[in-house]
Amino acid sequence: MKPCANLTFLFKELPFLERFQAAADAGFDAVEILFPYDMPAPEILDRLQLAGLPLALINAPPPNYTGGPRGFAAAPDLTDRFRSDFLRVMRYAKRLKPQHIHIMTGDGEGDAARDTFIANLKWAAAEAPDQSLTIEPLNPTAMPGYFLNDYAQAADILDAVAAPNVGLQYDSFHAQMIHGDAVAVWHDHAPRVRHVQVGDAPDRNTPGNGTVDFPALFAAIRDSRYDGWISGEYNPDKDTESSLGWMSALA
Ligand SMILES: O=C(O)C(=O)[C@H](O)CO
Ligand SMILES: [Mg+2]
């Protein structure tokens, strides 16, 4: 199991560009960045190369995302917007080579949103056949109104899309908040998972300081032979360094 650091959440004690080396020094093998678009790609690439780290994941809402809607992939009236933004994301991705791109749905509900999301995912999968794309249910307490908010719903959508390069992004914080048992969610959906993020519930804080059963979760992940990244995506209770005890369970 390979540890990854989400640099949007971890090492916030440091200026953004210094977080890459800090992650490498702390023993991480990769980093992910939720919204890298405010920074020139060459600067990020430079820091990745200096630290010797691959980029595991970026998000795909619009590149100019600045606290606006969290994506458009399920917005029936904004298909053109989603598609032109996706092409811009792919131009960025060509430089940074993220292993996964998380496609965010934005707000919505009902059949029209579902159909739009499926059609957009099929289109994106065909447009970028060599790029792994992920979808991630976000819990309604943290993200009210967000369309993709349940793991069974995500499984249904992945079945309908049926594209080899589209899979599930599992997040222990959201899984626990949505379904009450992050370990059970892992057991139900492990074969679909392409990328894992960890944080505790209910406060998205340091793993081990909340209600998620991390010993059971890491044992289940190990048993399932998942070989992707396990990324820390949480707000450390104190400083980042003292929050990294969970990494030793991955060795
Ligand atoms: O909120 C999360 O858990 C995510 O991973 C999203 O990418 C947030 O942007
Ligand atoms: Mg997440």
Side-chain angles (χ1 to χ4, degrees), residues 27 61 73-74 97 101 137 172 205 209:
K97 301 198 175 13
I101 294 178
S172 60
N205 55 335
N209 288 358

Side-chain angles (χ1 to χ4, degrees), residues 40-58:
E43 273 188 51
I44 295 180
L45 196 55
D46 222 39
R47 296 298 169 145
L48 287 168
Q49 285 170 349
L50 281 171
L53 296 171
L55 183 60
L57 174 123
I58 60 174

Side-chain angles (χ1 to χ4, degrees), residues 7-8 11 14-20 33 35-36 39 44:
L7 296 187
T8 308
F11 301 104
L14 298 169
F16 183 72
L17 291 174
E18 290 175 27
R19 296 178 198 170
F20 295 77
I33 306 166
F35 305 108
M39 204 148 289
I44 295 180

Side-chain angles (χ1 to χ4, degrees), residues 34-35 59 70 102 136 138 169 171 174 197 204 233:
L34 295 186
F35 305 108
N59 281 347
R70 300 219 162 205
H102 167 207
E136 179 190 18
L138 304 181
Q169 184 167 318
D171 185 320
H174 292 295
Q197 295 172 321
R204 187 180 270 217
E233 189 190 39

Side-chain angles (χ1 to χ4, degrees), residues 9 13 32 34 40 46 54-55 57 64 66 73 77 91 121 129 131 141 145 174 177 181 197 226 231 242:
F9 279 77
E13 301 87 350
E32 61 179 28
L34 295 186
D46 222 39
L55 183 60
L57 174 123
N64 57 0
T66 44
D77 300 331
R91 286 199 288 278
L121 284 172
Q131 176 66 59
T141 307
H174 292 295
M177 294 292 285
D181 185 346
Q197 295 172 321
Y226 167 80
S231 185
S242 67

